[in-house]
Amino acid sequence: MSGDHSDAPIAARVRRMEHLLEQRGLVEPGVLDETLAAFLNRATPMNGARIVARAWTDPVFRERLLVDAQAAIAGLELSMGGGLRVQDLQVVANSEDEHNVVVCTLCSCYPLALLGPSPTWYKSEAYRSRVVREPREVLREFGVDLRPEVGIEVWDANSEIRYMVVPNRPPGTENLTEEQLAALVTRNGLIGTALV
Amino acid sequence: MSRINDVGGVQGFGELVVEQDEPPFHADWEAHVFALNTALLRKRIYHLDEFRDAVERLPPAQYLAASYYERWYLAIRTLLVEKGVLDAEELDDVHDG
Amino acid sequence: MTFTTGELVRAKSVDPPHHTRLPSYARGAVGTIVRPQGAHLLPDDVARGISAPEEAVYAVRFTARELFGTGDHTVTLSLWESYLEKP
């Protein structure tokens, strides 16, 4: 393997790599910043939150979402193409007696298009190693204290399928609009490390 | 010989560290590594599985010591050199640090 | 070999010297097919520049007890047909 023999700060080494790739015509100057701005603008947890709010208010949509997520989210003009590339999606829903939580133990697979860039803890060895083995303890560290009779289903995103969680709709939200409901949904709720 | 990235169920990595209100990227260079990888994948310079493989081939001590996007930079570097796109010498020829 | 939902399968007890998406913790464990997940290229091949047709991927559910000898939860992984065998 080619070792990196530079002591220069990483920022300078990245600039150097980018400059050389521009010289080779593999990267166009300025395009990276445009791509990034477009990505950050498009890929945010608000996408996932919109999907959840619709699933909470529309049982037919919810059913379709759990069977064929990609087709269902197309109806909201969302797609899984907003990240690195188009990804497959499976959506899993919490219930009164089951809680879902998502991890990628091998790297950091994550539904970028629907949740935006992933948090550092999601990519950490601590989370990746522990949540498959002791999810109840990990969830407790996130402040999610599940009753012992609530089963936990961990999803390891080790293939090209990405997972997103539909949290339980909080009680007392019957009169909220879909938009107000979406505002309740957090990124961690979509990963399964928060209740909503 | 499972690789160093294969940490599911491994014990001893300690407590979770959760940063509140974390920005999408902590520095410009991280965002640029992310975007470079996207661009190179789209141009089919390498495949995503080759990229993952290159991350996993980092020596274990280096993998664990590196931050997430440092791993990415090192993996991209490995692939660009292995595929003959860039020379290691020119990549290391950094003066503006 | 194709598998059907509800069928018991074993994740192969292998130790490949190359890139793979079969995590160590699942190797050798017996789980249940819960859902077909389409067809995808085998990452082990793609990472080595080997071209091969896509193969079936299945969501396979394991109990924590089967994987780790302890715990009351389940873990579901997506496993390529090549990673699976009859138990």
Side-chain angles (χ1 to χ4, degrees):
Chain A
M1 177 179 309
S2 55
D4 180 5
H5 299 295
S6 170
D7 292 328
I10 180 90
R13 286 182 280 153
V14 173
R15 274 200 301 278
R16 176 71 178 156
M17 178 185 276
E18 190 171 331
H19 173 70
L20 291 167
L21 289 169
E22 284 175 359
Q23 281 185 340
R24 297 291 197 284
L26 292 171
V27 170
E28 288 159 59
V31 167
L32 289 193
D33 284 316
E34 286 170 28
T35 312
L36 268 170
F39 165 68
L40 291 174
N41 199 31
R42 188 174 61 217
T44 81
M46 272 312 295
N47 296 333
R50 275 181 60 207
I51 295 169
V52 167
R54 177 63 59 87
W56 283 345
T57 52
D58 179 347
V60 176
F61 174 82
R62 178 192 160 96
E63 209 41 49
R64 199 147 44 100
L65 183 68
L66 300 181
V67 174
D68 185 352
Q70 246 131 330
I73 68 169
L76 296 178
E77 282 165 14
L78 291 170
S79 83
M80 289 295 285
L84 281 174
R85 58 181 187 159
V86 181
Q87 299 166 321
D88 280 356
L89 176 68
Q90 186 177 331
V91 175
V92 293
N94 291 344
S95 66
E96 286 311 308
D97 47 27
E98 186 176 276
H99 183 88
N100 295 277
V101 59
V102 180
V103 64
C104 171
T105 63
L106 293 174
C107 51
S108 55
C109 297
Y110 189 79
L112 287 177
L114 303 183
L115 271 68
S118 58
T120 297
W121 60 258
Y122 182 84
K123 301 175 275 209
S124 71
E125 278 73 42
Y127 180 71
R128 287 160 47 208
S129 62
R130 290 182 56 208
V131 79
V132 283
R133 189 185 187 104
E134 42 172 25
R136 223 170 269 278
E137 287 72 16
V138 170
L139 290 176
R140 206 170 288 131
E141 287 174 38
F142 276 98
V144 176
D145 211 351
L146 296 172
R147 288 176 288 113
E149 60 271 26
V150 175
I152 300 179
E153 177 80 50
V154 182
W155 297 83
D156 189 348
N158 64 304
S159 78
E160 294 309 327
I161 290 102
R162 300 290 167 270
Y163 295 97
M164 193 188 86
V165 176
V166 176
N168 288 329
R169 181 171 176 167
T173 58
E174 293 75 15
N175 296 324
L176 297 189
T177 64
E178 200 173 314
E179 203 169 44
Q180 288 170 323
L181 288 170
L184 300 177
V185 181
T186 66
R187 183 204 52 209
N188 284 12
L190 300 166
I191 301 171
T193 56
L195 287 178
V196 185
Chain B
M1 51 163 269
S2 71
R3 290 175 167 185
I4 188 63
N5 65 299
D6 187 3
V7 298
V10 173
Q11 301 183 74
F13 278 114
E15 294 211 351
L16 289 172
V17 178
V18 177
E19 183 182 340
Q20 299 304 319
D21 300 319
E22 184 179 358
F25 299 99
H26 289 80
D28 245 24
W29 71 264
E30 290 190 350
H32 275 241
V33 167
F34 177 87
L36 272 175
N37 192 39
T38 306
L40 294 167
L41 285 166
R42 284 194 180 143
K43 288 217 187 275
R44 299 176 186 275
I45 303 300
Y46 49 77
H47 191 281
L48 185 55
D49 288 313
E50 292 179 294
F51 173 71
R52 291 183 182 132
D53 177 56
V55 173
E56 296 164 11
R57 283 190 283 134
L58 288 172
Q62 189 178 19
Y63 176 96
L64 291 175
S67 74
Y68 182 73
Y69 286 109
E70 280 171 354
R71 292 174 192 167
W72 278 36
Y73 164 80
L74 292 166
I76 296 169
R77 183 198 147 85
T78 298
L79 290 168
L80 291 175
V81 171
E82 285 179 357
K83 289 180 178 289
V85 177
L86 299 177
D87 297 326
E89 294 70 33
E90 56 182 351
L91 278 162
D92 285 346
D93 190 18
V94 182
H95 301 292
D96 56 346
Chain C
M1 192 187 306
T2 52
F3 300 102
T4 51
T5 299
E7 191 175 350
L8 285 180
V9 288
R10 184 187 301 278
K12 287 182 184 168
S13 186
V14 289
D15 195 11
H18 51 71
H19 174 71
T20 185
R21 299 295 284 184
L22 172 55
S24 299
Y25 74 86
R27 295 177 192 170
V30 173
T32 308
I33 304 264
V34 291
R35 178 173 176 148
Q37 293 186 310
H40 297 265
L41 295 172
L42 186 68
D44 308 50
D45 288 341
V46 178
R48 290 181 294 165
I50 298 169
S51 92
E54 293 180 327
E55 60 175 70
V57 175
Y58 301 92
V60 185
R61 183 162 298 159
F62 299 89
T63 64
R65 191 161 292 278
E66 169 74 3
L67 295 172
F68 306 114
T70 176
D72 59 5
H73 60 285
T74 62
V75 181
T76 306
L77 295 96
S78 296
L79 298 175
W80 276 259
E81 209 168 85
S82 288
Y83 298 162
L84 299 172
E85 62 190 10
K86 302 267 183 199

